[in-house]
Amino acid sequence: MLLASLLFALMGVCVKLASDIYTTSEIVMYRGLFGVIFLFCISRINSVSLKTSMPLRHFGRGLVGVIALWLWFYTIGKLPLAMANTLNYMSPIWIAAFLFFYNWWRGKAQFALGLPGAIVLSFVGVIFLLQPSMQERQIPTAIISLASGMLAALAYLQVRAMGLLGEPETRVVFYFSLTSAISGAVAGVIDQDWHVHTSFYGATLLLAVGFFASTAQLAMTRAYRLGNPLVTANLSYSGIVFSSAAGVIIWHDKLSILSWVGIAIILLSGILATYIHTKSTLPLLAEK
């Protein structure tokens, strides 16, 4: 998941640079189009069939994921970047909440609070790092951003469910990329705002967005399939650290002492979550 977070951060850098040249619809479409071609080649190399026995699950995952993506892009344009990212990174907390209520509904009395606690600690670190501020008129948009994070959490859980059912990550990411490409193309036709690729720089950025997004999706899908969903979700907070580092290096952003404290909290919570998960699984491993 750490690799996925790094790749997503690099993708975010390319998206920010490409947004000065292309519309959101174009970026989403080309991101998905590259993913479709890239995953098709990967599937052929690894002899993985793209034929699926669960088309409805792919449709649901793609629909939820694309809506979350579009809502996030919308809020990025309407809210301060710090606030939009903070609210979007509430998805791990949503995952913990969904799993808690699922276990409660199924009558499972035992639900360890250590991992959800580590996730909340990570979110505190995100707030310290980004130090968001919001005006009253921005509250409706903030609610949309919260919805984006919630939908992203649902998409991650759908990814894990398909992985546990044996669906390979190549196939999962392929169909999500296909959904992204179609949705971006449809939105572009409606907007009727297309740009001709006259710049090698712009085309390279789009290729980079597609590559980083596709490889990050593969790494994330495998992480949710093989790992504890709460530990994986908590480690995703490292993406904020990577993004902040990119801001310092590329755009010369200045981080306050409070921001560095936030980075330390995020790293500490990731270590704590991993330790709690490892400790809880040791007895199970010893019994086998």
Side-chain angles (χ1 to χ4, degrees):
M1 191 61 201
L2 288 174
L3 174 61
S5 298
L6 173 61
L7 293 171
F8 276 128
L10 293 174
M11 181 205 71
V13 170
C14 295
V15 168
K16 183 176 179 62
L17 294 172
S19 62
D20 294 333
I21 306 173
Y22 303 101
T23 64
T24 300
S25 301
E26 290 174 304
I27 296 174
V28 171
M29 185 192 72
Y30 286 114
R31 168 187 169 174
L33 182 60
F34 180 93
V36 169
I37 298 173
F38 179 72
L39 270 302
F40 177 81
C41 295
I42 292 294
S43 66
R44 295 282 77 81
I45 293 173
N46 296 327
S47 299
V48 176
S49 174
L50 293 177
K51 185 178 180 180
T52 179
S53 61
M54 48 185 77
L56 291 181
R57 285 182 177 271
H58 282 289
F59 176 77
R61 183 269 185 271
L63 181 63
V64 172
V66 166
I67 292 175
L69 179 66
W70 280 99
L71 291 180
W72 182 69
F73 275 127
Y74 172 79
T75 56
I76 283 293
K78 300 294 182 180
L79 290 175
L81 184 60
M83 172 56 70
N85 280 337
T86 301
L87 295 174
N88 185 262
Y89 266 77
M90 279 193 68
S91 55
I93 295 180
W94 287 115
I95 290 177
F98 291 150
L99 291 177
F100 175 82
F101 284 109
Y102 175 78
N103 282 289
W104 174 79
W105 181 261
R106 295 290 298 271
K108 296 181 180 180
Q110 293 184 350
F111 185 85
L113 296 179
L115 291 178
I119 290 176
V120 173
L121 181 62
S122 280
F123 185 66
V124 172
V126 170
I127 295 176
F128 272 56
L129 173 58
L130 298 179
Q131 301 171 45
S133 60
M134 181 176 61
Q135 301 175 6
E136 184 177 352
R137 60 182 175 82
Q138 296 171 325
I139 292 178
T141 310
I143 294 175
I144 295 176
S145 187
L146 280 173
S148 173
M150 182 183 69
L151 291 173
L154 286 174
Y156 297 153
L157 291 175
Q158 288 174 310
V159 165
R160 176 171 173 79
M162 286 191 289
L164 293 177
L165 291 173
E167 195 75 340
E169 52 266 18
T170 303
R171 197 179 297 157
V172 174
V173 179
F174 174 83
Y175 284 107
F176 175 69
S177 299
L178 182 61
T179 306
S180 299
I182 293 173
S183 66
V186 171
V189 170
I190 295 174
D191 294 339
Q192 295 184 349
D193 187 10
W194 298 98
H195 294 83
V196 180
H197 296 294
T198 57
S199 168
F200 176 78
Y201 170 72
T204 302
L205 284 176
L206 290 178
L207 287 174
V209 168
F211 173 77
F212 287 133
S214 299
T215 51
Q217 283 284 335
L218 283 173
M220 182 203 72
T221 302
R222 174 164 292 191
Y224 273 101
R225 179 170 66 88
L226 299 178
N228 182 295
L230 293 182
V231 173
T232 303
N234 193 59
L235 291 175
S236 70
Y237 279 120
S238 60
I240 281 290
V241 178
F242 293 135
S243 298
S244 299
V248 172
I249 296 171
I250 300 174
W251 290 283
H252 306 291
D253 294 339
K254 303 296 183 182
L255 294 180
S256 65
I257 295 179
L258 199 60
S259 295
W260 287 111
V261 171
I263 290 176
I265 292 175
I266 293 171
L267 296 176
L268 176 63
S269 65
I271 296 172
L272 179 62
T274 304
Y275 170 76
I276 293 173
H277 175 56
T278 303
K279 184 178 180 181
S280 64
T281 55
L282 281 178
L284 295 177
L285 294 174
E287 291 174 3
K288 292 184 180 180

